[in-house]
Amino acid sequence: MYEINKAAVIGAGTMGLGIAGQLANAGVEVLLLDRASDGEDRNAIAKRAIERLLDKSQPGLLREDFAGRITLGNVEDDMHRLADADWIAEAVVERLAIKKALYQQIDGVRKPGSIVSSNTSTIPISLLVEDMPEAFREEFAITHFFNPVRFMRLLELVRGENTRQAVVDCLEQFCESRLGKGIVVCNDTPGFLGNRVGVFAIQTALHEAFRMGLEPEEADAVFGRPMGIPKTGVFGLYDLIGIDLMSDVAKSLVAILPEHDAFHRVSAEIPVMQRMIAEGHLGNKGRKGGFYRADPAGGTDRQTLDFASFAYRTFERSKPQVAIDAELAGDFTLLLDDQGVHGTYAWEILASTLCYAAALVPDVNESLVAIDDAMKLGYNWLQGPFEMIDAIGVDRFVARLQGEQRKVPAFLQAAAGRSFYRVQNGVLQYLLASGEYRDLQRAPGVTRFSELRQTLTPELENRVASYFVLPRDIGLIEFHSKANTLDGESMRLVADALRHAEVNLQGLVIHNDAQHFSCGVNLEGVLHHIAGADWSGLDGFLDHFQQTCLALRYSSIPVVAAPSGLSLGGGFEVVLHTDKVVFHANSVTGLVESMVGVVPGGGGVKEMLYRWYEHHGDIHKAAWDAFMNVGYGKTATSPLQAAPMMLFREGTDTYVMNRDRLLDTATDAVIELARDYTPERRGPLKMAGRDTWGEMVAWLEKTRDKGHLTPHDVSTGAEIAMITTGGDVAAGTSMTEKEICALERKAFLTLARTPETRARIEHMLSFGTPLRN
């Protein structure tokens, strides 16, 4: 009955603009209206909004020309144009009277059978439509997107008392498959789910930090990656969003939540923060900074606000050892074993937050899966609250709560002796408030490997990677190291899995459900070789990496990669050697090794040279384009942006808007390829030779003399030029893939011997980030 082909968005602020951009990304023609301007251009407000959508630091569009799918207008002159829209999304200011007046206008012009929704995060649907006719109420819902709309996966879909099921079904299907959202259907309760639990956790972390006298760095070191949540922590998150805005969010929840709600215990304003707001210390958006700030003198060190003196001091980089251990192990429960102040801080946050989430079942939402999804998709937690309780152990968690005389929610008591999730007869199930279990079922075409893997036993496994056999006789390789960086063990498992799959299966998928597919080769291992002058060991690692990638390319069975998040450096070199790639629409890809003073050593330069040659048919042009792309470490933030860089093969590779559809799309691709599969065979390339190499080196030296490159950049670029041209050979000299790979290893080893490369790698390590190229 309902179908969305054309849409309209009213409100060109941050959220409305993001919704319009995502509709354009999905190929939908969209009308974007805002207030009329007083000047000559009545649509000036909406036009300025489009400029923000094209911001290169966080682009709202997969490709800039998609802005052409957005028609601009204003609410004084263009309301009649809403008659063409199948879906009208309202995203104006959170003031009930303004929304109600707007709905009266919309209802006067919309066509019968069109859907209307609000992006409100605080106003109950019952109040929004209380003055509207029944026909309007039946076709009205709340569609609460999270910011930034393109990148945040959660959409909370709220139905009203009169909303037709067909309306809910249409919005759920469209927003999941076309807009790429994970849908959580919510009841019309205050704060819905994501913000209710998420802001409670943030406020708890904030108040406990102040109560326990922790410094911001200490608190953020615990309430961050070690706990399986984003690295910003609580003070960093307040700075990111805006201290004044986050304070307003907390106040809005205070106003709408029931008097008995536990949120009120962590909602009181904190004096030092009141002073910060009054004096303009609002976070990243303000010149004065917030809890943290950049050095105003231009230094590289961050600074932290000292609460006692209200002056900034040097940022403390050292982290509590328990936080380091938990992050490295990927096990937040290690925090709870610590008896010190940092373990106590972690426990106080988790005890309160997990109990708060459990208390919402079944009155606020009958499904614990909805709450877990809300936190994973809307707040980027690695695990939802109930998954975390299972990781701790229900009985262990309850026993500690009871030992401290804390109230244990009824749903948590009902899980005693059991777990919230279980696998029964090969099917993942979750617990209901009634005490029964229900199969966890996703929409057709949607599979999260993090859920599927719980029902499988690895065929092969080591500490950094695993190999599974899926239904339909398809193998799957999963990386699971920190940031999924790759080392010798990773590639040995790839090689072993490929050999098994070639004998026993019809194809292979390389995929994981982590935040990032792979951030590259683990440079810790590289640095270990460099520090020990173990050049033969480093060459052996690179040679095995290359041979494994070539084995993927020339396998007797089809190999499909399905990456999301970052696929960089060595991780992207694996992707480059597969028959087909199913990208997520927000995938970030590129060969970035030059940024740390080395070259791609796994066949990446070779692959780019071949791709550019296949594009141009001219080896001279191909050599230059590969040289420039690899030398500058160019990356793309979407597959469509990647296509002109030859990082995405139009006609071969594809992409999906919803990352939860990656695995099913990839396995379907394997089945299709396997029907008549013959591996591609490439002949040698006739290289551009020494003259082109000389041209490139001269260009590098000229660019250095202009101050745009460092001496080591020139050294790195010269090695890349050597690979793309063949180096000191005559033009037209033939080289095979393996011979070009050998040039990569030679270049990598040459640069690895330099103190500059070692210094760059060590500099990355000093920030405590995953080592990646």
Side-chain angles (χ1 to χ4, degrees):
M1 177 181 177
Y2 294 96
E3 186 176 346
I4 298 173
N5 296 305
K6 293 184 178 181
V9 178
I10 304 177
T14 298
M15 296 307 300
L17 181 65
I19 295 167
Q22 192 67 355
L23 284 162
N25 287 334
V28 177
E29 297 294 326
V30 56
L31 173 68
L32 177 62
L33 305 181
D34 205 294
R35 290 178 293 108
S37 298
D38 294 331
E40 183 177 331
D41 186 351
R42 302 272 287 170
N43 300 332
I45 294 175
K47 285 184 178 178
R48 287 197 297 270
I50 294 297
E51 294 174 6
R52 300 199 309 274
L53 198 63
L54 300 174
D55 182 0
K56 293 186 183 300
S57 65
Q58 193 172 60
L61 298 174
L62 297 177
R63 204 169 64 195
E64 288 190 1
D65 63 333
F66 284 4
R69 295 170 177 169
I70 304 175
T71 301
L72 305 181
N74 67 79
V75 293
E76 291 184 19
D77 304 329
D78 301 296
M79 288 295 286
H80 65 281
R81 300 168 75 177
L82 297 178
D84 294 329
D86 303 308
W87 176 23
I88 302 165
E90 169 268 304
V92 301
V93 64
E94 288 284 86
R95 294 163 76 175
L96 182 59
I98 291 175
K99 291 179 185 289
K100 282 187 170 185
L102 181 59
Y103 298 156
Q104 294 288 347
Q105 290 181 272
I106 292 172
D107 199 38
V109 295
R110 77 183 185 99
K111 66 183 179 182
S114 61
I115 296 172
V116 183
S117 73
S118 173
N119 188 60
T120 182
S121 61
T122 59
I123 304 175
I125 201 169
S126 57
L127 292 180
L128 290 173
V129 298
E130 62 183 353
D131 302 328
M132 300 305 296
E134 183 177 355
F136 185 92
R137 297 199 304 269
E138 288 177 345
E139 295 176 330
F140 186 90
I142 289 174
T143 47
H144 179 219
F145 290 85
F146 279 61
N147 183 44
V149 176
R150 175 183 164 187
F151 298 100
M152 295 304 294
R153 298 168 63 192
L154 179 62
L155 171 66
E156 292 180 318
L157 177 57
V158 185
R159 64 179 303 160
E161 182 180 350
N162 302 109
T163 310
R164 290 178 178 173
Q165 185 60 45
V167 168
V168 174
D169 292 343
C170 176
L171 286 171
E172 186 171 8
Q173 191 278 330
F174 177 84
C175 293
E176 183 274 311
S177 62
R178 297 287 299 278
L179 300 189
K181 299 304 170 188
I183 311 300
V184 171
V185 179
C186 301
N187 296 325
D188 190 21
T189 56
F192 312 137
L193 285 180
N195 284 343
R196 187 160 180 177
V197 178
V199 178
F200 179 86
I202 293 166
Q203 288 297 111
T204 301
L206 181 74
H207 279 260
E208 287 297 330
F210 276 101
R211 184 183 69 82
M212 298 176 67
L214 296 181
E215 298 293 341
E217 301 98 324
E218 288 182 282
D220 287 352
V222 175
F223 187 70
R225 281 178 172 161
M227 205 175 281
I229 63 177
K231 66 179 181 179
T232 49
V234 58
F235 292 101
L237 183 62
Y238 255 85
D239 274 358
L240 179 65
I241 295 175
I243 294 168
D244 53 341
L245 292 180
M246 270 301 300
S247 297
D248 288 343
V249 169
K251 290 176 184 177
S252 70
L253 286 170
V254 168
I256 62 176
L257 288 171
E259 289 184 15
H260 64 272
D261 196 274
F263 184 84
H264 297 294
R265 296 201 301 266
V266 293
S267 63
E269 294 187 74
I270 295 171
V272 70
M273 293 175 63
Q274 290 176 303
R275 180 180 176 184
M276 291 173 71
I277 293 171
E279 297 187 16
H281 294 271
L282 303 179
N284 298 353
K285 65 181 180 180
R287 294 181 179 179
K288 292 185 176 181
F291 293 109
Y292 305 112
R293 72 175 185 183
D295 184 350
T300 58
D301 288 333
R302 295 171 71 195
Q303 295 182 340
T304 306
L305 183 66
D306 179 77
F307 299 143
S309 65
F310 209 74
Y312 284 91
R313 57 168 175 77
T314 301
F315 179 88
E316 177 55 57
R317 289 193 176 278
S318 63
K319 296 181 179 180
Q321 188 59 47
V322 65
I324 295 172
D325 293 344
E327 182 178 354
L328 289 174
D331 183 1
F332 77 93
T333 66
L334 296 181
L335 295 168
L336 306 184
D337 296 332
D338 179 66
Q339 301 301 310
V341 64
H342 301 110
T344 302
Y345 177 60
W347 166 251
E348 292 294 336
I349 297 169
L350 289 173
S352 297
T353 301
L354 302 185
C355 283
Y356 188 75
L360 299 180
V361 180
D363 294 339
V364 173
N365 200 297
E366 69 168 6
S367 172
L368 65 87
V369 177
I371 297 173
D372 278 352
D373 281 354
M375 299 317 300
K376 290 187 291 185
L377 304 183
Y379 278 77
N380 287 331
W381 289 17
L382 294 182
Q383 295 176 285
F386 296 96
E387 292 172 321
M388 296 180 83
I389 296 174
D390 277 354
I392 297 168
V394 172
D395 291 347
R396 176 190 173 196
F397 184 57
V398 170
R400 186 165 177 180
L401 293 172
Q402 292 174 334
E404 297 177 1
Q405 305 299 309
R406 295 177 188 253
K407 183 179 179 180
V408 180
F411 187 41
L412 192 50
Q413 293 179 36
R418 298 187 287 178
S419 58
F420 286 108
Y421 292 91
R422 73 175 187 183
V423 175
Q424 188 79 1
N425 299 322
V427 177
L428 184 62
Q429 299 179 325
Y430 64 96
L431 187 66
L432 302 173
S434 65
E436 299 175 338
Y437 283 92
R438 177 182 292 170
D439 292 353
L440 199 168
Q441 295 181 327
R442 300 289 182 186
V446 170
T447 301
R448 295 182 188 166
F449 186 65
S450 58
E451 295 169 353
L452 178 61
R453 79 187 312 276
Q454 296 178 54
T455 70
L456 303 172
T457 300
E459 191 76 27
L460 301 169
E461 187 173 34
N462 60 33
R463 65 179 183 85
V464 293
S466 300
Y467 166 61
F468 300 85
V469 175
L470 305 180
R472 301 202 286 180
D473 291 332
I474 296 173
L476 184 143
I477 294 171
E478 176 200 33
F479 302 132
H480 47 70
S481 61
K482 183 179 179 182
N484 288 331
T485 52
L486 307 179
D487 59 16
E489 284 189 75
S490 310
M491 300 312 291
R492 280 191 291 276
L493 186 131
V494 172
D496 292 343
L498 182 61
R499 283 191 288 269
H500 177 274
E502 286 179 327
V503 174
N504 299 284
L505 305 174
Q506 60 176 330
L508 187 63
V509 171
I510 307 177
H511 170 73
N512 59 70
D513 204 19
Q515 183 179 7
H516 301 302
F517 174 79
S518 173
C519 293
V521 165
N522 187 331
L523 294 182
E524 267 182 339
V526 174
L527 185 61
H528 179 75
H529 287 300
I530 292 173
D534 180 16
W535 310 120
S536 63
L538 181 55
D539 185 55
F541 163 69
L542 294 172
D543 183 54
H544 181 258
F545 197 114
Q546 292 176 345
Q547 299 312 311
T548 301
C549 286
L550 286 172
L552 291 173
R553 168 162 290 287
Y554 292 115
S555 173
S556 60
I557 57 174
V559 180
V560 175
S564 60
L566 302 180
S567 302
L568 299 177
F572 192 56
E573 288 179 289
V574 172
V575 171
L576 283 170
H577 286 84
T578 60
D579 294 293
K580 185 182 183 74
V581 186
V582 180
F583 289 97
H584 179 229
N586 293 331
S587 294
V588 177
T589 53
L591 298 171
V592 296
E593 286 86 346
S594 62
M595 301 298 101
V596 290
V598 293
V599 301
V605 183
K606 175 263 301 178
E607 279 301 305
M608 296 314 302
L609 181 61
Y610 267 90
R611 289 191 181 193
W612 279 110
Y613 178 71
E614 290 159 2
H615 175 72
H616 287 305
D618 181 322
I619 194 62
H620 182 78
K621 290 181 179 179
W624 268 100
D625 280 331
F627 164 71
M628 296 299 285
N629 268 29
V630 176
Y632 276 113
K634 292 182 180 180
T635 59
T637 59
S638 77
L640 295 176
Q641 194 182 81
M645 304 179 198
M646 300 300 122
L647 305 177
F648 175 89
R649 299 164 294 186
E650 294 182 287
T652 297
D653 299 332
T654 188
Y655 71 92
V656 295
M657 294 292 286
N658 191 335
R659 62 175 287 167
D660 289 338
R661 290 184 173 270
L662 281 170
L663 182 53
D664 280 21
T665 305
T667 54
D668 287 346
V670 167
I671 298 298
E672 182 66 28
L673 289 169
R675 288 174 181 166
D676 185 25
Y677 181 73
T678 302
E680 174 191 10
R681 295 292 176 184
R682 284 170 166 171
L685 283 177
K686 293 185 177 181
M687 306 299 283
R690 63 175 65 92
D691 290 344
T692 304
W693 184 25
E695 292 171 7
M696 292 176 179
V697 172
W699 179 88
L700 288 165
E701 292 172 343
K702 183 177 180 181
T703 306
R704 176 203 59 202
D705 293 342
K706 292 179 180 178
H708 299 313
L709 296 176
T710 68
H712 193 60
D713 291 335
V714 174
S715 299
T716 304
E719 295 298 328
I720 295 169
M722 182 270 293
I723 302 165
T724 63
T725 61
D728 191 20
V729 298
T733 299
S734 291
M735 281 192 171
T736 65
E737 289 188 74
K738 288 188 176 182
E739 288 173 325
I740 301 172
C741 282
L743 294 181
E744 288 187 16
R745 296 203 312 278
K746 176 184 175 184
F748 195 108
L749 289 165
T750 297
L751 293 167
R753 287 182 166 93
T754 66
E756 292 84 359
T757 290
R758 178 171 180 170
R760 289 192 185 189
I761 295 174
E762 290 175 337
H763 179 69
M764 286 189 68
L765 278 172
S766 70
F767 288 95
T769 55
L771 292 177
R772 56 189 75 166
N773 64 10

